[in-house]
Amino acid sequence: MNNIILIGFMGVGKGSVAREVVKHSEYIAIDTDDLIESMQNDKIKNIFEIYGEAYFRKLELDVASWLESSVKSTLISTGGGFYKQKNLKDIGIVVLLDSPFDAIIKRIKNHPNALKKLKKRPLLQNLEEAKKLYDERRPEYLALADIVIDVTKKSAIDCSKELIKKVKKL
Ligand code: S3P
């Protein structure tokens, strides 16, 4: 399969790092949220609002089985809850982008499109709830990761270089 699967909390920078990896390697990239939006011809935010989270999770399951059966040599960035897929480790090498909750929120708020970044994420509307989700998920992310990259205060380019180096060493 030779895929790399990028996991991590919402807003940690999976998309930005994936874009840099593509620039500095032979990998092509896909994103599970993008696949779901294309499948449904709608935005994640609307899918949550209209059909609910359980429906969205079912779409993630469909994407996970398609990735396992059909995708090779690809960098796959994922939504923050995709890591729960049972076949995650059969899809590819799992790389966690890790950072403390406060640093992630700061990163989003400092972005020129901060409002848009916050609004499009249904599970980031209430920061107290989001922090609880982060605390629940972080040990699970760490337990699944073949590689961990601490992205705090690092540029996406530096993270992508670190990722490529660590994947080569495996
Ligand atoms: C989610 C993360 C989102 C998106 C959806 C649910 C989550 O992706 O899949 O809103 O459960 O953490 P990002 O991690 O790209 O924000």
Side-chain angles (χ1 to χ4, degrees), residues 10 14 33 44 48 56-57 78-81 121-123 137:
M10 292 172 269
K14 289 163 289 185
D33 281 346
I44 302 291
F48 265 72
F56 173 76
R57 299 299 172 200
T78 64
R121 296 183 161 104
L123 301 180
R137 283 180 177 179

Side-chain angles (χ1 to χ4, degrees), residues 1 10 15 30 33-34 38 59 79 99 107 121 150 162:
M1 52 178 172
M10 292 172 269
I30 56 177
D33 281 346
D34 289 348
S38 314
L59 297 173
S99 193
R107 177 181 181 275
R121 296 183 161 104
D150 180 357
E162 189 177 328

Side-chain angles (χ1 to χ4, degrees), residues 1-152:
M1 52 178 172
N2 292 327
N3 296 311
I4 298 174
I5 180 146
L6 266 188
I7 64 166
F9 201 67
M10 292 172 269
V12 76
K14 289 163 289 185
S16 313
V17 172
R19 282 187 286 279
E20 290 304 328
V21 173
V22 167
K23 280 190 214 158
H24 298 99
S25 72
E26 302 285 295
Y27 279 95
I28 56 156
I30 56 177
D31 178 279
T32 58
D33 281 346
D34 289 348
L35 290 169
I36 288 173
E37 290 189 340
S38 314
M39 274 158 63
Q40 294 289 294
N41 194 22
D42 207 349
K43 296 281 174 202
I44 302 291
K45 182 175 175 283
N46 294 336
I47 299 172
F48 265 72
E49 266 172 31
I50 300 167
Y51 304 103
E53 182 174 348
Y55 180 77
F56 173 76
R57 299 299 172 200
K58 164 74 178 70
L59 297 173
E60 286 191 318
L61 180 75
D62 295 344
V63 168
S65 44
W66 176 73
L67 290 171
E68 185 186 347
S69 63
S70 311
V71 174
K72 289 192 192 90
S73 309
T74 298
L75 174 69
I76 303 160
S77 56
T78 64
F82 190 86
Y83 77 101
K84 289 198 189 260
Q85 299 306 317
K86 299 246 179 316
N87 65 344
L88 190 79
K89 306 276 269 187
D90 299 319
I91 300 174
I93 298 164
V94 179
V95 178
L96 169 65
L97 301 190
D98 188 39
S99 193
F101 182 76
D102 290 347
I104 294 175
I105 299 304
K106 201 168 159 192
R107 177 181 181 275
I108 298 176
K109 289 192 169 162
N110 285 340
H111 195 278
N113 275 332
L115 207 59
K116 198 173 154 209
K117 296 234 160 229
L118 277 171
K119 274 194 174 163
K120 74 170 196 176
R121 296 183 161 104
L123 301 180
L124 218 48
Q125 300 310 300
N126 175 329
L127 287 189
E128 250 176 65
E129 290 296 316
K131 168 77 167 86
K132 270 191 221 156
L133 193 62
Y134 174 90
D135 288 340
E136 240 172 72
R137 283 180 177 179
R138 186 160 181 270
E140 298 177 351
Y141 285 145
L142 286 167
L144 282 164
D146 299 305
I147 294 171
V148 179
I149 297 177
D150 180 357
V151 302
T152 317

